[in-house]
């Protein structure tokens, strides 16, 4: 069970939030609507259609509903449903009827279950009668402190129970499938974990017996009512459970009915069209739960905003012309939530989110695509309240063959974290000329309006603008960037901070060297030997110590109002060059190719993909050198080469993506050029310089240190 410390933390901030809300009567309208939704949830959860008296419930103004009292502003201040044949349980959202002073549920003998802990946030409640019911109290210390502090309390006599309803009672999910349409064989789980279940399976090349990733996890952390809520974990300690959350915020009573991972191949569809024979997953494709589906006209079907009771059993209608909306040659889909059971990893309350996951792969003639896998997550806020300042992250333990000779790097221009071998021999793993592996967000969550061109397309705050990778960090087993021990640690890491809430800084192991904040650890180029990489931590060629490596890429912040959803996609790329450092060069090409294919929607069209990814077309980043000197204290020179007459734009950006200076903005003939950036009038810090040649672009990082 969650510790009392966590509930103290939640309760303290909830009371602060309520006090803040009470200071501003202008905000009462939002609480009136919130009250209405909470009462509707109470009606449905307690079998309101069979109440003795349900006069006007669900119809008209709340003030006219039987047993409901409101104040002059329309806020619900009392509920009296005594002796009214209520059955079922109390939904937790009753705990968010902020202004309620009286709650009378006595003499309803068939209402049962544990009183939700959320009721402890009702700081104005004075009277609570539930004698003559089968409602039980939680044994949580802070809940008991709250309930014993009420002015007028009449108890049921039910034995005090353990904490329940904030979490369901689901078992750990067991569903899994294998993504294996191309050169990768990856285990897909519905736990929030990646690849690891007793053993880690991210095998590349397929059938080689060599794995590149041991395991990983999806992290989601945000702020609700002033306190941190999270769903995260490491390896098998993930905090997701199988199945959806209904419109009242409840996880399934029994998650086993949803405990599966669906897999569809294009060949399955071709076989069905030719013979009428369908695989089990195709027949059972859960369109009603949100599995991507097209109608007979090719239009997407999205039923996720409809009442759960109406859509929960809706399967695909193959006979009516509906088809799975398949990305790539194989699509794997699953549904999970963070309320299914208690959060033992982060030791904090859940966000109340439902998550749809899909993984897909493309069988391609191009190695860069054939060696890649992609993952899209859609996150639903199934609450009436907002989640703010949220971040998503992909934590990974990338054992690239042999685990103890890996190093981590960041390509800030591409938004990629990557792992490579310390030397040119991966003993017991990939052998000589070992590969490199990278992870990058192709699209982060949809950004808030923040005045930043988050997707670097030249337009600020356009509708649907997605974030990119905002942090790449190396996570260690101990120290300032060691294993997370508190909710704040998880949140700090996603924001690009250390456990101490201080920024990661350039140089050394991320602290105590330069004092210059950065969100991208080891962003120097190990291929050229430049500072700052794990092969050159101090500018003098001093490497990091060998050891097992963990990596985190994150994207944020973003917000989700109650009922809203957002999605994001990340890719895992893999490449092998002539030696361990050349593998990094090839990896960058792979990252560029997968982004081009994704953003151009060419993953499903090999002919157009061939035209788009053409080895004869120069990558602008290939002739785009690192600035010199680096780091620099005043002036630095940037070299670049263009293969043919083109329009060239070279700009410098700060860490927020804002342009601080334009260095080149003109048409130029083929040749090699230099441009100089004057940093004397700018503060110390990390900057990026981006070159655009016609419609292609490349970006690098540089450090100004005065």
């Amino acid at each position: 069970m969650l510790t009392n410390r966590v509930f103290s933390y939640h309760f303290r901030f909830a009371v602060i939030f309520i006090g803040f809300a009470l200071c501003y009567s202008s905000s009462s309208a939002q609480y009136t609507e919130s009250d209405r939704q909470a009462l509707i949830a109470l009606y449905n959860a307690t079998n309101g259609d069979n109440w003795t008296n349900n006069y006007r419930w669900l119809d008209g103004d709340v003030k006219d509903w039987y047993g409901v009292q409101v104040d002059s502003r329309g806020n619900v201040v009392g509920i009296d449903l005594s002796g009214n044949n209520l059955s079922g349980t109390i939904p937790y959202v009753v705990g968010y009827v902020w202004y309620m002073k009286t709650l009378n549920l006595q003499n309803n003998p068939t209402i049962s279950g544990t009183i939700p802990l959320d009721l402890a946030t009702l700081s104005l409640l004075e009277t609570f009668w539930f004698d003559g019911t089968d409602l039980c109290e939680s044994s949580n210390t802070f809940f008991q402190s709250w309930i014993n502090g009420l002015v007028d309390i009449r108890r049921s006599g039910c034995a005090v129970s353990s904490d329940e309803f904030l979490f369901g009672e689901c078992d750990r999910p067991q569903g899994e499938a294998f993504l294996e349409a191309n050169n990768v064989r990856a285990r897909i789980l519905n736990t929030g974990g990646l690849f690891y279940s007793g053993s880690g399976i991210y095998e590349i090349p397929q059938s080689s017996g060599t794995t590149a990733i041991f395991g990983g996890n999806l992290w989601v952390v945000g702020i609700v009512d002033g306190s941190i809520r999270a769903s995260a974990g490491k390896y098998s300690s993930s905090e997701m459970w199988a199945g959806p959350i209904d419109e009242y915020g409840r996880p399934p009573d029994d998650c086993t009915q949803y405990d599966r991972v669906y897999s569809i191949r294009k060949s399955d569809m071709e076989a069905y069209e030719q013979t009428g024979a369908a695989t089990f997953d195709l027949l059972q494709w859960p369109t009603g739960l949100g599995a991507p589906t097209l109608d007979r006209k090719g239009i997407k079907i999205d039923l996720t905003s409809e009442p759960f009771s109406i859509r929960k059993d809706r399967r695909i209608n193959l006979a009516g012309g509906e088809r799975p909306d398949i990305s790539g040659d194989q699509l794997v889909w699953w549904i999970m939530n963070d309320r299914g059971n208690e959060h033992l990893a982060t030791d904090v309350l859940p966000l109340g989110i439902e998550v749809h996951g899909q993984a897909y792969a493309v069988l391609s003639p191009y190695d860069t695509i054939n060696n890649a896998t992609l993952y899209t997550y859609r996150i639903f806020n199934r609450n009436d309240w907002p989640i703010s300042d949220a971040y998503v992250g992909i934590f990974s333990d990338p054992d690239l063959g042999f685990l103890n000779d890996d190093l981590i790097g960041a390509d800030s221009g591409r938004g990629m974290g990557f792992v490579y071998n310390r030397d040119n021999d991966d003993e017991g793993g990939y052998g000589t000329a070992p590969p490199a592996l990278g992870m990058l967000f192709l699209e982060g969550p949809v950004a808030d309006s923040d005045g930043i061109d988050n997707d670097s397309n030249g337009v600020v705050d356009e509708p649907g603008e997605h974030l990119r990778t905002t942090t790449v960090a190396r996570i260690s087993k101990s120290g300032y960037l060691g294993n997370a021990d508190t909710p704040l640690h998880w949140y700090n890491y996603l924001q690009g901070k250390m456990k101490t809430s201080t920024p990661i800084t350039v140089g050394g192991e991320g602290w105590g060297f330069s004092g210059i904040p950065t969100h991208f650890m080891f962003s120097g180029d190990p291929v050229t030997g430049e500072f700052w990489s794990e092969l050159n931590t101090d500018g003098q060629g001093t490497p990091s110590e060998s050891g097992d490596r963990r990596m985190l890429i994150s994207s944020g912040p973003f917000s989700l109002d109650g009922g809203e959803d957002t999605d994001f996609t990340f890719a895992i790329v893999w490449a092998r060059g002539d030696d361990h450092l050349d593998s990094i060069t090839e990896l960058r090409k792979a990252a560029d190719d997968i982004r081009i294919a994704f953003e151009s929607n060419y993953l499903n069209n090999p002919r157009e993909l061939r035209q788009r990814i053409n080895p004869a077309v120069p990558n602008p980043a290939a002739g785009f050198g690192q600035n010199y000197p680096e780091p620099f204290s005043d002036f630095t020179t940037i070299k670049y080469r263009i293969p043919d007459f083109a329009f060239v734009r070279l700009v410098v950006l700060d860490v927020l993506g804002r342009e601080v200076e334009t260095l080149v903005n003109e048409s130029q003939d083929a040749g090699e050029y230099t441009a100089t950036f004057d940093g004397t009038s700018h503060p110390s810090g990390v900057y990026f310089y981006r070159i655009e040649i016609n419609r292609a672009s490349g970006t690098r990082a540089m450090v100004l240190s005065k």
Side-chain angles (χ1 to χ4, degrees), residues 273-301:
E273 303 296 352
Q274 293 172 6
T275 68
T279 65
F280 184 73
D281 281 356
L282 178 55
L283 286 172
Q284 296 293 312
W285 193 247
T287 301
L289 295 181
T293 306
L294 302 175
D295 68 13
R296 61 184 181 85
K297 295 181 179 180
I299 300 172
K300 292 182 183 293
I301 298 173

Side-chain angles (χ1 to χ4, degrees), residues 53-288:
N53 191 338
N54 57 14
Y55 178 74
R56 297 299 300 275
W57 272 74
L58 312 186
D59 181 34
D61 292 337
V62 170
K63 65 182 178 62
D64 298 324
W65 295 6
Y66 171 79
V68 177
Q69 297 87 46
V70 302
D71 63 15
S72 59
R73 296 175 296 175
N75 297 306
V76 173
V77 295
I79 300 174
D80 185 352
L81 295 173
S82 60
N84 204 37
N85 196 36
L86 276 66
S87 59
T89 60
I90 300 177
Y92 75 93
V93 290
V94 173
Y96 299 94
V97 182
W98 302 109
Y99 292 90
M100 185 158 57
K101 297 180 180 179
T102 301
L103 177 59
N104 185 356
L105 301 175
Q106 66 180 169
N107 299 325
N108 287 291
T110 57
I111 190 171
S112 60
T114 303
I115 298 169
L117 293 173
D118 299 70
L119 265 65
T121 64
L122 296 174
S123 63
L124 300 181
L125 193 71
E126 298 176 348
T127 300
F128 186 15
W129 294 355
F130 56 96
D131 52 316
T133 73
D134 200 27
L135 291 170
C136 299
E137 298 174 32
S138 167
S139 60
N140 178 270
T141 301
F142 290 92
F143 180 87
Q144 285 295 311
S145 176
W146 167 79
I147 201 167
N148 289 324
L150 297 177
V151 175
D152 189 359
I153 176 74
R154 299 186 184 181
R155 291 180 155 101
S156 65
C158 174
V160 175
S161 73
S162 60
D163 306 329
E164 291 179 2
F165 193 72
L166 275 176
F167 310 98
E169 298 180 342
C170 294
D171 293 329
R172 176 175 169 78
Q174 301 298 315
E176 69 174 50
F178 285 91
L179 185 66
E180 47 191 357
N182 58 13
N183 200 30
V184 180
R185 185 171 189 263
R187 175 189 274 136
I188 305 300
L189 305 165
N190 60 347
T191 63
L194 295 167
F195 318 129
Y196 176 82
S197 180
S199 62
I201 299 180
Y202 192 90
E203 182 188 42
I204 178 170
Q206 267 207 57
S207 303
S208 67
T210 306
T211 60
I213 305 174
F214 179 71
N217 299 81
L218 169 67
W219 292 3
V220 188
V221 183
I223 303 297
V224 175
D225 294 348
S227 63
I228 298 172
R229 296 196 183 190
S231 173
K234 297 187 292 292
Y235 312 111
S236 59
S237 66
S238 298
E239 296 174 333
M240 289 284 180
W241 289 267
I245 294 177
D246 67 18
E247 57 265 42
Y248 308 113
R250 299 175 299 198
D253 293 330
D254 179 10
C255 290
T256 57
Q257 61 184 309
Y258 303 104
D259 190 4
R260 60 183 297 186
V261 178
Y262 298 81
S263 175
I264 298 285
R265 293 174 180 261
K266 277 194 171 180
S267 57
D268 298 335
M269 292 305 308
E270 293 167 356
Y272 175 77
E273 303 296 352
Q274 293 172 6
T275 68
T279 65
F280 184 73
D281 281 356
L282 178 55
L283 286 172
Q284 296 293 312
W285 193 247
T287 301

Side-chain angles (χ1 to χ4, degrees), residues 10 13 222-229 350-351 383 385-388:
H10 167 67
F13 278 94
I223 303 297
V224 175
D225 294 348
S227 63
I228 298 172
R229 296 196 183 190
L351 288 154
N383 307 295
W385 54 85
I387 300 170
S388 62

Side-chain angles (χ1 to χ4, degrees), residues 387-620:
I387 300 170
S388 62
D389 296 314
Y391 290 78
V392 296
I394 304 300
F395 166 83
S396 62
D397 185 344
D399 293 347
L400 196 61
F402 179 62
L403 73 157
N404 281 325
D405 58 358
D406 296 338
L407 301 176
I408 296 295
D411 188 321
S412 53
R414 291 175 173 85
M416 178 172 66
F418 62 91
V419 57
Y420 59 103
N421 215 68
R422 174 180 292 274
D423 55 34
N424 201 39
D425 189 6
D426 183 42
E427 297 94 344
Y430 282 104
T432 57
L437 178 139
M439 293 186 177
L440 66 156
F441 284 100
L442 299 175
E443 285 184 337
V446 174
D448 299 331
S449 295
D450 54 10
I452 300 172
D453 181 15
N454 291 287
D455 55 8
S456 302
N457 67 349
V459 182
V460 175
D461 288 343
E462 73 268 25
E465 179 182 67
H466 284 264
L467 295 159
R468 293 289 180 91
T469 306
T470 51
T471 291
V472 175
R474 187 192 70 187
I475 306 297
S476 305
K477 293 183 178 179
S478 60
Y480 293 129
L481 286 163
N483 289 328
D485 302 312
T486 72
L488 185 59
H489 293 166
W490 302 88
Y491 196 40
N492 281 340
Y493 285 164
L494 290 169
Q495 296 177 84
K497 299 177 182 178
M498 295 187 289
K499 293 170 72 170
T500 55
S501 299
T502 54
I504 297 169
T505 55
V506 172
E509 302 301 317
W511 64 84
F513 187 84
S514 69
I516 300 173
T518 182
H519 285 264
F520 293 90
M521 286 190 71
F522 305 113
S523 56
D525 188 354
V527 177
T528 61
E530 71 183 37
F531 175 77
W532 170 48
S533 75
E534 285 213 79
L535 291 177
N536 184 0
T537 61
D538 57 1
Q540 305 299 316
T542 304
S544 296
E545 293 184 3
S546 297
D548 192 11
R549 295 292 190 263
R550 291 93 175 269
M551 182 171 68
L552 175 70
I553 64 170
S554 69
S555 185
F558 65 96
S559 301
L560 282 178
D561 287 336
E564 284 189 341
D565 65 273
T566 191
D567 63 271
F568 64 92
T569 298
F570 75 95
I572 302 176
V573 291
W574 182 97
R576 194 165 196 167
D578 294 334
D579 58 45
H580 67 124
L581 297 180
D582 186 51
S583 291
I584 299 173
T585 300
E586 294 300 315
L587 185 73
R588 291 168 178 153
K589 296 176 184 177
D592 292 341
D593 283 356
I594 201 70
R595 183 175 294 283
I596 289 170
F598 175 79
E599 293 180 349
S600 304
N601 197 28
Y602 290 153
L603 284 168
N604 291 320
N605 192 324
R607 178 175 297 177
E608 292 186 353
L609 181 62
R610 186 178 297 111
Q611 295 171 354
R612 191 72 171 121
I613 302 175
N614 186 339
V617 177
N619 181 344

Side-chain angles (χ1 to χ4, degrees), residues 255-408:
C255 290
T256 57
Q257 61 184 309
Y258 303 104
D259 190 4
R260 60 183 297 186
V261 178
Y262 298 81
S263 175
I264 298 285
R265 293 174 180 261
K266 277 194 171 180
S267 57
D268 298 335
M269 292 305 308
E270 293 167 356
Y272 175 77
E273 303 296 352
Q274 293 172 6
T275 68
T279 65
F280 184 73
D281 281 356
L282 178 55
L283 286 172
Q284 296 293 312
W285 193 247
T287 301
L289 295 181
T293 306
L294 302 175
D295 68 13
R296 61 184 181 85
K297 295 181 179 180
I299 300 172
K300 292 182 183 293
I301 298 173
D302 189 350
L303 306 177
T304 54
S305 61
E306 294 187 5
F308 178 69
S309 59
I310 294 175
R311 61 182 173 85
K312 65 178 182 177
D313 298 319
R314 163 77 150 86
R315 305 296 178 184
I316 194 169
N317 181 5
L318 293 171
E322 295 178 357
R323 298 291 183 267
D325 185 9
I326 299 177
S327 299
D329 289 279
Q330 182 188 5
L331 173 66
V332 178
W333 188 89
W334 65 99
I335 184 171
M336 52 191 179
N337 72 84
D338 77 334
R339 275 192 175 270
N341 213 313
E342 52 195 338
H343 286 209
L344 299 179
T346 59
D347 206 21
V348 74
L349 297 176
L351 288 154
I353 55 175
E354 175 181 306
V355 180
H356 299 183
Q358 64 182 63
Y360 52 103
V362 178
L363 181 62
S364 170
Y366 298 99
D367 287 345
T368 54
I369 306 299
N370 204 43
N371 293 329
T373 54
L374 295 92
Y375 307 81
T376 296
Y377 289 96
R378 188 178 180 190
I379 299 176
F380 296 80
N381 178 5
R382 294 299 193 193
N383 307 295
D384 293 327
W385 54 85
I387 300 170
S388 62
D389 296 314
Y391 290 78
V392 296
I394 304 300
F395 166 83
S396 62
D397 185 344
D399 293 347
L400 196 61
F402 179 62
L403 73 157
N404 281 325
D405 58 358
D406 296 338
L407 301 176
I408 296 295

